[in-house]
Amino acid sequence: MMIELLLGVTLVGALLTFLAPDKVAGKLAFAVSLLPVVGSLWMYLNFDGSGNALLGGTLAYETNAQWVSLGPWDLTWHVGLDGISMPLFVLTTVLTTLAIVSAWTPIDERQSQFYGLMLLMEASLIGVFAALDFFVWFIFWEAVLIPMYFLIGVWGGPRRKYAAIKFFVYTNVASLVMFIGFMALVFGLGDSVTTLGLPEVAQALRAGELGSVGGIAPGTLKALAFFAMFAGFAVKVPVVPVHTWLPDAHVEAPTPVSVMLAGVLLKMGTYALLRFNFTMLADVARGAASIIAVFAVVSVIYGAMLALAQQDLKRIVAYSSVSSMGYVILGLVAYTVYGVGGATFQMIAHGLISGLMFMAVGVIYNTTHTRMVADMSGLADRMPWTVGILVAAAFAYMGLPLMAGFAGELFIFLGAFNAFPGSPIFTSLAMFGIVIVAGYLLFAMQRTLFGSFRLETDYEVTPAPFHDVAPLAVLLILIIALGVAPDIFMQMIQDAIRPILVVGGGA
């Protein structure tokens, strides 16, 4: 019942924070968020799951209880964790706490509502990574949109309403497309499944029990469902060309919300792709490997090129996220232990690194009131700790050895290079993206951080307060720890993905 306990604590904490006075809301939200952090770390240390949640594995902290009947299906409250969801579970709780601390300086109005929504979003994310019944999972999946919409639309920048509506429309339509794709499979399975449990649906599909629907043959139905779900999840990742909501959302969102958006929400898309497309429909995924790899490589190169052309530091990091998530897609499509394992590990690494980058840019903005590269120079002399951590984060983004990004990207490249027809070309092109990443990050760092100090302001630029720098330091320590010892998560990840490779005929 640990998952239910953490969900309950977070939801009750969100309600109490909503009702609390503004002046104590930030501290109260921080105190509440520590409970899921401690709980998730205890769950990680005592994790006794094995195998894959959808492929007969033994789940940790599992609850599987009859809930209600919906037509021919019995809905269940089925939650549990395996080696794929456990690291994302921990990432969610840790990043939420650090994002709440990073909000203490910039959020100066309606604090109780802001922090309450942050905790509500944390609870929804916990549910997404723990739920194993489609109905329950879909409720949590959609619930994430609500706090994110208000967090952008109320506390965002000048174009916040446009960005919030664009985010909501894109992701909501994508959810509908994905929903249709999954339900087509369920209708095709007919009496073979009596629940909407993800393991039961996956088992029935592996057993070849998919029939025709509306005259559509099972093979065609499976392919149509695959691409519907892929399209839906690709928006959330995001994959080019359905990425355009992301830069607007990031630029308009306040810093703590950008941290959660890049650090965790984007991982919902890749996590769902791994669970639904690459586990349930592995044969279709293997057949479409080259097509999917094209989307992955285009995302890597196009996202990096767009980042290179930006002048806004936040927009640079936003587009770089599009590029980085392309690596994750390339690793997933490889169907090798290093490829899929590296992609899963990269979800965690990118969550930490992008979170650190957004936080560091936010601290600079809090002090200088600008994010434009052309307006700043020589910040290293005025904000040495912040600048030092930002440079370290940039190196992590470039894949510097002994940092988490290096481990994830190395595993992906090793796993993808000879994985499918054309993969050496796709992988080589993706590796070239690292050169572009280094180019735009070094360009931005050199212009803003070093040289003579230049910033036209009527106030003094001073070092950031301790509570602004502390979350940056924690994230940097975690990034180095995962880079030095990737087995902190990699062993449990590989244990959970090996059954996927067996089903998909990978290596």
Side-chain angles (χ1 to χ4, degrees), residues 91-408:
L91 175 71
T92 299
T93 60
V94 171
L95 267 188
T96 301
T97 297
L98 297 177
I100 285 173
V101 176
S102 73
W104 287 355
T105 295
I107 304 302
D108 55 5
E109 60 178 0
R110 300 183 182 181
Q111 288 98 329
S112 58
Q113 291 94 335
F114 178 88
Y115 293 110
L117 287 171
M118 289 288 284
L119 291 173
L120 180 60
M121 183 163 60
E122 180 183 26
S124 304
L125 289 165
I126 288 174
V128 167
F129 295 126
L132 292 167
D133 181 280
F134 179 76
F135 187 76
V136 177
W137 177 85
F138 191 72
I139 290 174
F140 284 121
W141 177 272
E142 291 296 284
V144 173
L145 304 184
I146 299 171
M148 179 56 74
Y149 170 81
F150 285 108
L151 286 167
I152 297 173
V154 176
W155 289 271
R159 298 173 69 242
R160 55 186 180 275
K161 291 183 179 177
Y162 167 78
I165 292 173
K166 189 174 183 180
F167 160 79
F168 193 84
V169 169
Y170 264 69
T171 52
N172 206 30
V173 170
S175 296
L176 178 61
V177 174
M178 173 274 296
F179 182 86
I180 293 172
F182 182 82
M183 292 309 295
L185 291 177
V186 173
F187 282 117
L189 290 171
D191 296 335
S192 299
V193 291
T194 58
T195 80
L196 294 182
L198 301 183
E200 289 79 6
V201 172
Q203 169 60 31
L205 289 170
R206 288 202 311 281
E209 296 174 352
L210 186 67
S212 62
V213 173
I216 302 175
T220 305
L221 178 63
K222 189 185 288 187
L224 291 174
F226 177 90
F227 285 108
M229 291 193 293
F230 182 84
F233 298 139
V235 172
K236 189 79 80 176
V237 173
V239 174
V240 174
V242 288
H243 67 289
T244 59
W245 64 270
L246 182 70
D248 291 321
H250 269 310
V251 169
E252 298 304 323
T255 295
V257 179
S258 290
V259 170
M260 295 302 295
L261 183 59
V264 189
L265 263 73
L266 304 189
K267 312 308 175 291
M268 290 169 57
T270 47
Y271 171 79
L273 279 173
L274 180 55
R275 287 290 197 212
F276 289 79
N277 292 74
F278 292 92
T279 300
M280 292 185 182
L281 302 171
D283 52 339
V284 183
R286 294 304 301 272
S290 297
I291 298 174
I292 299 172
V294 169
F295 284 102
V297 173
V298 169
S299 296
V300 169
I301 302 297
Y302 187 67
M305 294 296 290
L306 287 176
L308 188 61
Q310 305 304 314
Q311 285 291 319
D312 185 329
L313 282 174
K314 205 172 184 185
R315 197 172 278 273
I316 290 174
V317 182
Y319 278 116
S320 70
S321 290
V322 175
S323 180
S324 295
M325 296 309 289
Y327 292 120
V328 177
I329 302 296
L330 182 65
L332 291 179
V333 81
Y335 267 108
T336 60
V337 66
Y338 282 120
V340 181
T344 309
F345 186 87
Q346 183 66 3
M347 294 182 207
I348 313 303
H350 180 261
L352 297 174
I353 297 170
S354 62
L356 178 55
M357 290 289 286
F358 276 115
M359 275 191 196
V361 171
V363 172
I364 289 175
Y365 180 75
N366 294 342
T367 304
T368 64
H369 299 176
T370 180
R371 299 190 304 258
M372 303 307 292
V373 173
D375 293 343
M376 295 180 280
S377 177
L379 291 181
D381 291 336
R382 306 297 178 99
M383 307 173 67
W385 285 105
T386 303
V387 167
I389 294 175
L390 178 59
V391 171
F395 284 140
Y397 234 122
M398 297 175 206
L400 191 75
L402 301 182
M403 300 184 114
F406 173 78

